[in-house]
Amino acid sequence: MGNMGNLGSLIFFWALLVAVVAMATEHRPFERTKGVNGLDKIIVRDHRGHSFEVYLYGGQVTSWKNDKGEELLVMSSKAIFNPPTPIRGGIPILFPQYSNTGPLPSHGFARQRFWEIDANPPPLPSSSSSHAFVDLILRSSDDDLKIWPHKFEYRLRVALGHDGDLTLTSRVKNSDTKPFNFTFALHPYFAVSNISQIQVEGMHKLDYLDQQKNRTRFTDHEKVITFNAQLDRLYLRTPDNLRIVDHMKKKTIVVHKEGQVDSIVWNPWDKKVSDLGVDDFRRFVTVESAAVEKPIKVNPGREWKGILQMSVVPSSCPSGKRDPKKPCVHHP
């Protein structure tokens, strides 16, 4: 019995050791390293092989890979990693102003600031049990206050979900004594097989502002959006779930948003963009979560929260053929 008891104890402690090691692996911290031009970046991986990378400059996600190592975002082949130039590609943060809708430089200043790792963020209620994440924070600086006189704290959590989905949770706190308003967008460059072989679903019968025509208002009567020329539209009051269907790869990117009522769909086609490669437009589409038509108001001491969740699921089109007038079938 003594030997059996010792054996049982040994098995118990071995199992305990395995469990502790597994937990340590599951909770393993992110890796901080140097990226292009020596800029600090964070690499986060989960035990299934999914990963993402985010630069502290701009708080900008520059990579999101599935468990096969396939890149799901696009970086410009001419991206400039040289502050204060914004980085082209990945997921830029447009705060506290979208485009030229206010007095600030276009798209605000958050994408041109150095963020910090937030070691002790306030609790973030979530149904996700992901342990593969990083928390960043951007606080208003004296230089920021000169051009936008509102004290704020912008907290960003970037997290991998169980199936490799990527979630960006934004929390903007008003640490000032007066209310402030801001407009906002997250601007993901989603990787696609070919821009001419995809469609965006979810905008049927919605109003949009055509940003190629001085934001003139139109209604989209097409069931899906397809691309054969430059397109730059700000859709108003869009559904919480939008879909990008890639016919060649037979996959669908599902874009889920909360706290942001608008969406931007953009591809420059062959329009010259100084920090975008000549053929880069063929490899991406942006479907952005945004709050533009009605600015977000935050009272003193209060906090706004917005969520952008991106996932990839298989898809197929009716009869196995592409029909540009019909939505595809998605298989979560």
Side-chain angles (χ1 to χ4, degrees), residues 281-299:
F281 76 90
R282 303 182 191 278
R283 301 186 295 121
F284 77 86
V285 66
T286 73
V287 177
E288 309 170 37
S289 61
V292 180
E293 184 186 33
K294 184 179 180 181
I296 296 165
K297 180 180 180 180
V298 186
N299 289 319

Side-chain angles (χ1 to χ4, degrees), residues 68-83:
K68 297 179 178 62
E70 178 186 7
E71 182 59 69
L72 303 174
L73 297 174
V74 164
M75 295 299 298
S76 167
S77 62
K78 295 174 67 176
I80 300 169
F81 289 79
N82 187 20

Side-chain angles (χ1 to χ4, degrees), residues 257-283:
K257 59 186 177 66
E258 298 175 22
Q260 304 145 87
V261 298
D262 305 321
S263 301
I264 296 102
V265 180
W266 175 68
N267 182 279
W269 207 253
D270 56 2
K271 177 186 176 183
K272 182 175 176 58
V273 179
S274 62
D275 57 349
L276 195 65
V278 173
D279 291 321
D280 285 352
F281 76 90
R282 303 182 191 278
R283 301 186 295 121

Side-chain angles (χ1 to χ4, degrees), residues 63-330:
S63 175
W64 169 36
K65 293 181 180 179
N66 62 19
D67 56 359
K68 297 179 178 62
E70 178 186 7
E71 182 59 69
L72 303 174
L73 297 174
V74 164
M75 295 299 298
S76 167
S77 62
K78 295 174 67 176
I80 300 169
F81 289 79
N82 187 20
T85 302
I87 300 172
R88 173 76 66 181
I91 310 179
I93 298 171
L94 313 184
F95 171 88
Q97 176 185 294
Y98 170 75
S99 187
N100 60 353
T101 54
L104 294 174
S106 183
H107 291 327
F109 50 74
R111 63 187 180 144
Q112 295 169 279
R113 298 292 185 265
F114 284 92
W115 295 54
E116 299 175 346
I117 295 171
D118 193 1
N120 295 293
L124 181 62
S126 173
S127 58
S128 172
S129 59
S130 171
H131 302 294
F133 64 87
V134 66
D135 288 294
L136 304 181
I137 186 168
L138 177 68
R139 295 182 176 91
S140 49
S141 68
D142 291 342
D143 288 340
D144 297 335
L145 292 171
K146 291 176 183 176
I147 60 173
W148 199 64
H150 307 290
K151 293 181 180 179
F152 70 89
E153 293 180 346
Y154 186 146
R155 284 183 162 86
L156 175 69
R157 173 171 289 187
V158 187
L160 287 168
H162 183 271
D163 295 320
D165 52 284
L166 186 68
T167 300
L168 275 65
T169 303
S170 298
R171 292 186 285 176
V172 176
K173 181 178 179 180
N174 184 341
S175 48
D176 215 326
T177 58
K178 57 186 182 296
F180 62 66
N181 297 332
F182 65 90
T183 53
F184 171 83
L186 292 174
H187 184 57
Y189 288 68
F190 291 110
V192 298
S193 56
N194 189 307
I195 186 64
S196 63
Q197 298 294 317
I198 70 163
Q199 62 192 40
V200 177
E201 300 177 359
M203 310 296 195
H204 184 42
K205 294 184 179 180
L206 296 184
D207 286 353
Y208 67 88
L209 307 181
D210 192 327
Q211 302 196 105
Q212 296 173 254
K213 299 179 179 179
N214 297 315
R215 297 199 176 99
T216 303
R217 192 173 185 128
F218 296 94
T219 300
D220 193 339
H221 296 289
E222 299 295 331
K223 290 186 178 179
V224 299
I225 302 169
T226 56
F227 299 83
N228 55 23
Q230 181 185 0
L231 187 141
D232 189 359
R233 297 176 180 176
L234 167 57
Y235 282 85
L236 308 174
R237 295 183 291 281
T238 57
D240 289 341
N241 291 303
L242 304 170
R243 295 166 300 280
I244 304 164
V245 183
D246 191 323
H247 302 285
M248 293 179 67
K249 291 188 176 181
K250 295 184 179 179
K251 72 175 185 180
T252 295
I253 302 168
V254 180
V255 181
H256 172 78
K257 59 186 177 66
E258 298 175 22
Q260 304 145 87
V261 298
D262 305 321
S263 301
I264 296 102
V265 180
W266 175 68
N267 182 279
W269 207 253
D270 56 2
K271 177 186 176 183
K272 182 175 176 58
V273 179
S274 62
D275 57 349
L276 195 65
V278 173
D279 291 321
D280 285 352
F281 76 90
R282 303 182 191 278
R283 301 186 295 121
F284 77 86
V285 66
T286 73
V287 177
E288 309 170 37
S289 61
V292 180
E293 184 186 33
K294 184 179 180 181
I296 296 165
K297 180 180 180 180
V298 186
N299 289 319
R302 306 295 290 181
E303 182 180 84
W304 166 83
K305 184 173 79 170
I307 293 174
L308 171 63
Q309 182 182 51
M310 299 151 285
S311 57
V312 180
V313 298
S315 64
S316 60
C317 284
S319 303
K321 298 180 180 179
R322 180 189 177 201
D323 186 339
K325 300 298 181 182
K326 293 182 180 179
C328 287
V329 179
H330 313 287

